[in-house]
Amino acid sequence: MQSDGLHFEFAVDGENFASAGTASETIKNTLKKLGLPPATVRRTAIAMYEGEINMVIHAGGGTAVVDITPTAIEIELKDEGPGIADIELAMREGYSTAPEEIRMLGFGAGMGLSNMKKYSDEMKIESEVSKGTRVLLKINI
Amino acid sequence: MSQEKRLHTVTLDQDKCKGCVACMRRCPTGAIRVRDGKAKIYYDKCIGCGECVRVCHHHAKKAVYDSFDIIKNYKYKIALPAPSFFGQFNNLENLGLIIAGLKRIGFDEVMEVSIGAELSSDATRRVLKEGTIKKPVISTACPAILQLILLKYHSLTENLLNLLAPVDIVAKLARENAIKKTGLKAEDIGVFFISPCPAKVFALKSGLGVEKPLVDGVLAASEVYFKLLPELKNIKDCTEVASTGLLGFAWACSGGEAAGIMKDKYIAADGIENCMNVLKELEDNKLDHMDFVELNACIGGCVGGVLNIENPFVARSKIRELNKSLPLSKNSIESVGKELDYFKWETNPETNDVLRLDEDFMVALKKMSDIDAIMKQLPGLDCGNCGAPTCRAFAEDIVDGAVDISLCTRKETNENNNK
């Protein structure tokens, strides 16, 4: 663990919508307790929630690692899912590969990645088809 | 707000408190600890919801309200009965009877809070049309919910409906009218709310959204009920008529306020946990397509208030019956001759920062890190034996220096689990 910071690791359970969002909820409550500005808390919570849901929908779960340092909130979302073939296309608002039954639940509107970009200060995606995806999000404090 | 400046909405009868953990476990904001065998309320975190009063089997928790006798301190006395108050009586066919009865027990005038509710509905429709508040617009009529948002959901303050509560609206109108009618000074006129809940006591006494409190006292629905009941049968030839339509009285129950905005895209949730789930979804932008969100801390809405007599579901049925004979609405902003601004908040309520670990971010970070380290030593059972509602709350108390880890009686459980 780094000094002057907080470190969190979460296993994100795949195929379980009921518990999806618990990791981002924990981070949100932590940030509130730390007294960060409401807008920063909300941006972080939404960006992370979208990432968490993506792993549930597309990758059968994964891991979320969060570091809160004096200057930023850094989130790493990693899965061993199908990967993203065309990242640029996937980033477009409204583009979705979510199956119909997921959309019926109100998810999979194709806003996940674009919202993650919109609400974070830095975003990096590394993905390899049939290997998995790694998303890094940074929200400056 | 400091502990001293916070109002005490709930008090403890030290002799009756057995030090059980019922209220502590129920408290939605973690404002209660059991220390030295007695429940202790941290008022800076209390939202006045009254859940602890409801769950205390020993009747040690008491809601704070004014004694009925305070009305005697004023020359001209006005009663403001809550919409839910009309749902407390059996076989009530004429709403006018309650008004006549209140006049027999000492009030010179009665103005139904439901009048303010209809005015608030009219004002809300206009605010929604103006589009000045971020959608979804969140109702602020339930003071426990408003306090909760100010305590825990700071990013939602820009969604708050900036209107006075119905009771504040009628209090303002009633005093103005009485000054004109009687020629008395403002301070000789006593305006009293007949309240279903302690949260209203807090809101009205501290003046939430107003420069200074608009009512002179808050009376408990239950206490007024018992004074009123024997008088009701003595009323012959009642000439009083209620001045509200069904939209106003509908505010007694969850969904009533939302129905008054005349739009379809709304949510009405009741019960404090349900409301917290909705607030969480609002924070995560999951309810962005909604126009309006009505939240009531009590199950069933105001009929579920802890100062009422009747079971909330029975009261709801009674209100429904009474509403059958009423027109839709009897009051509008035009009918009282006011502008929209008259109904708006005079001041924006301030957020409450008491949940943050420290003003200094670096110190807060260090404290959080210490809390996490302590959490690893605790069993994670949330048993409450230490006097804190959860292991995490206990860890925070330790870091704050309030208690010692030796209070945990079940650390061995953790050690066994880890073997």
Side-chain angles (χ1 to χ4, degrees):
Chain A
M1 186 179 142
Q2 343 173 326
S3 58
D4 287 344
L6 294 167
H7 180 78
F8 299 82
E9 287 176 27
F10 305 92
V12 178
D13 189 9
E15 321 259 321
N16 186 352
F17 279 96
S19 69
T22 46
S24 52
E25 183 66 16
T26 304
I27 294 301
K28 179 163 81 180
N29 289 333
T30 302
L31 297 178
K32 281 185 187 180
K33 292 236 163 193
L34 292 173
L36 288 177
T40 309
V41 176
R42 197 162 174 176
R43 284 199 297 134
T44 309
I46 295 171
M48 182 168 169
Y49 175 80
E50 294 284 6
E52 222 183 319
I53 288 293
N54 267 355
M55 293 199 295
V56 175
I57 295 176
H58 299 287
T63 55
V65 177
V66 181
D67 283 288
I68 304 171
T69 74
T71 55
I73 303 141
E74 291 166 14
I75 304 164
E76 182 198 49
L77 302 149
K78 214 159 94 181
D79 67 60
E80 292 173 7
I84 304 168
D86 185 342
I87 292 175
E88 203 184 319
L89 182 64
M91 290 292 293
R92 269 188 219 160
E93 282 188 16
Y95 178 81
S96 175
T97 57
E100 187 57 29
E101 63 267 25
I102 300 271
R103 294 192 200 212
M104 301 267 282
L105 291 167
F107 296 98
M111 298 302 288
L113 288 173
S114 50
N115 270 341
M116 284 156 78
K117 185 160 180 67
K118 182 173 158 192
Y119 290 107
S120 61
D121 292 306
E122 279 176 46
M123 176 174 171
K124 262 184 237 162
I125 310 182
E126 295 162 8
S127 187
E128 200 175 328
V129 174
S130 65
K131 283 270 172 65
T133 303
R134 181 167 169 258
V135 179
L136 294 168
L137 297 168
K138 191 172 172 188
I139 293 98
N140 296 328
I141 291 173
Chain B
M1 224 183 286
S2 71
Q3 183 86 0
E4 294 72 39
K5 271 160 83 190
R6 297 289 293 196
L7 278 167
H8 295 200
T9 45
V10 180
T11 56
L12 184 78
D13 183 331
Q14 290 282 342
D15 297 331
K16 285 186 178 168
C17 179
K18 306 280 181 233
C20 81
V21 294
C23 61
M24 181 184 85
R25 300 192 79 115
R26 185 76 192 96
C27 178
T29 59
I32 303 174
R33 297 289 183 274
V34 176
R35 299 267 191 258
D36 303 319
K38 304 285 174 192
K40 182 168 165 44
I41 307 161
Y42 289 83
Y43 291 102
D44 51 357
K45 290 183 194 164
C46 174
I47 57 169
C49 65
E51 290 299 318
C52 54
V53 178
R54 211 190 295 275
V55 298
C56 180
H57 310 301
H58 308 289
H59 306 289
K61 280 279 167 65
K62 298 210 174 356
V64 176
Y65 49 83
D66 291 312
S67 143
F68 190 81
D69 289 337
I70 67 157
I71 74 167
K72 292 177 186 153
N73 302 338
Y74 298 84
K75 285 185 185 150
Y76 193 79
K77 310 156 183 75
I78 306 172
L80 312 175
S84 54
F85 190 64
F86 293 84
Q88 306 299 308
F89 303 87
N90 284 323
N91 308 315
L92 180 71
E93 279 168 14
N94 178 5
L95 291 158
L97 274 175
I98 301 301
I99 298 168
L102 288 169
K103 289 186 177 173
R104 289 178 80 101
I105 62 169
F107 293 100
D108 298 295
E109 200 181 309
V110 178
M111 190 166 185
E112 304 130 50
V113 172
S114 41
I115 295 170
E118 292 190 342
L119 294 169
S120 173
S121 290
D122 191 3
T124 306
R125 290 193 293 270
R126 291 175 199 226
V127 168
L128 286 173
K129 209 171 166 186
E130 264 183 5
T132 44
I133 306 287
K134 188 179 171 193
K135 281 188 186 178
V137 173
I138 305 172
S139 159
T140 50
C142 174
I145 293 296
L146 178 55
Q147 290 288 348
L148 179 66
I149 292 171
L150 296 173
L151 178 74
K152 270 188 94 165
Y153 303 92
H154 293 183
S155 75
L156 297 175
T157 50
E158 53 193 19
N159 301 64
L160 293 175
L161 182 62
N162 58 343
L163 294 179
L164 298 177
V167 55
D168 277 323
I169 294 174
V170 285
K172 212 165 150 181
L173 286 169
R175 195 184 305 270
E176 280 176 16
N177 294 344
I179 292 170
K180 272 187 223 149
K181 190 168 140 189
T182 63
L184 290 169
K185 286 187 215 144
E187 59 266 32
D188 289 332
I189 295 161
V191 180
F192 306 95
F193 180 43
I194 302 172
S195 176
C197 74
K200 290 278 186 198
V201 180
F202 173 86
L204 291 169
K205 296 237 155 179
S206 62
L208 214 50
V210 296
E211 299 278 357
K212 60 179 197 316
L214 295 172
V215 299
D216 300 295
V218 185
L219 311 173
S222 53
E223 197 173 315
V224 179
Y225 174 89
F226 286 114
K227 287 208 184 304
L228 186 59
L229 204 56
E231 284 296 331
L232 288 181
K233 55 181 176 291
N234 299 330
I235 302 169
K236 298 191 173 61
D237 306 321
C238 174
T239 53
E240 301 285 353
V241 185
S243 310
T244 320
L246 63 89
L247 274 183
F249 282 113
W251 278 58
C253 309
S254 172
E257 181 188 0
I261 63 158
M262 310 289 177
K263 277 182 184 272
D264 294 329
K265 287 183 179 168
Y266 70 78
I267 284 181
D270 54 305
I272 192 84
E273 276 85 11
N274 297 330
C275 291
M276 288 167 91
N277 282 333
V278 171
L279 289 167
K280 195 169 88 182
E281 301 218 341
L282 282 165
E283 271 189 326
D284 292 345
N285 286 2
K286 282 195 263 177
L287 301 173
D288 279 359
H289 52 295
M290 290 288 162
D291 287 317
F292 190 76
V293 178
E294 174 191 335
L295 301 172
N296 288 287
C298 293
I299 291 175
C302 294
V303 287
V306 73
L307 295 177
N308 285 327
I309 295 285
E310 188 56 276
N311 170 310
F313 304 100
V314 176
R316 178 174 207 136
S317 152
K318 287 175 181 175
I319 297 271
R320 198 166 52 223
E321 279 292 307
L322 287 166
N323 265 350
K324 271 189 188 166
S325 57
L326 297 178
L328 188 64
S329 175
K330 290 187 182 176
N331 302 279
S332 68
I333 292 181
E334 272 94 23
S335 74
V336 292
K338 300 289 180 192
E339 298 291 325
L340 180 56
D341 273 354
Y342 185 85
F343 304 92
K344 286 191 175 170
W345 274 342
E346 295 163 4
T347 56
N348 283 344
E350 282 173 27
T351 53
N352 177 353
D353 280 334
V354 69
L355 293 183
R356 62 196 283 187
L357 295 172
D358 203 277
E359 277 179 33
D360 182 326
F361 178 65
M362 292 307 290
V363 178
L365 211 51
K366 170 80 173 75
K367 282 188 180 176
M368 186 59 89
S369 167
D370 293 347
I371 290 165
D372 286 346
I374 292 168
M375 280 299 285
K376 292 198 177 83
Q377 300 175 52
L378 299 177
L381 298 169
D382 296 345
C383 68
N385 285 352
C386 62
T390 59
C391 290
R392 178 156 280 275
F394 180 53
E396 285 180 25
D397 290 349
I398 296 170
V399 169
D400 269 346
V403 288
D404 188 84
I405 196 164
S406 61
L407 278 178
C408 177
T409 54
R410 304 188 66 179
K411 277 211 298 290
E412 324 73 64
T413 321
N414 191 32
E415 280 146 23
N416 291 337
N417 286 346
N418 287 345
K419 267 177 196 166

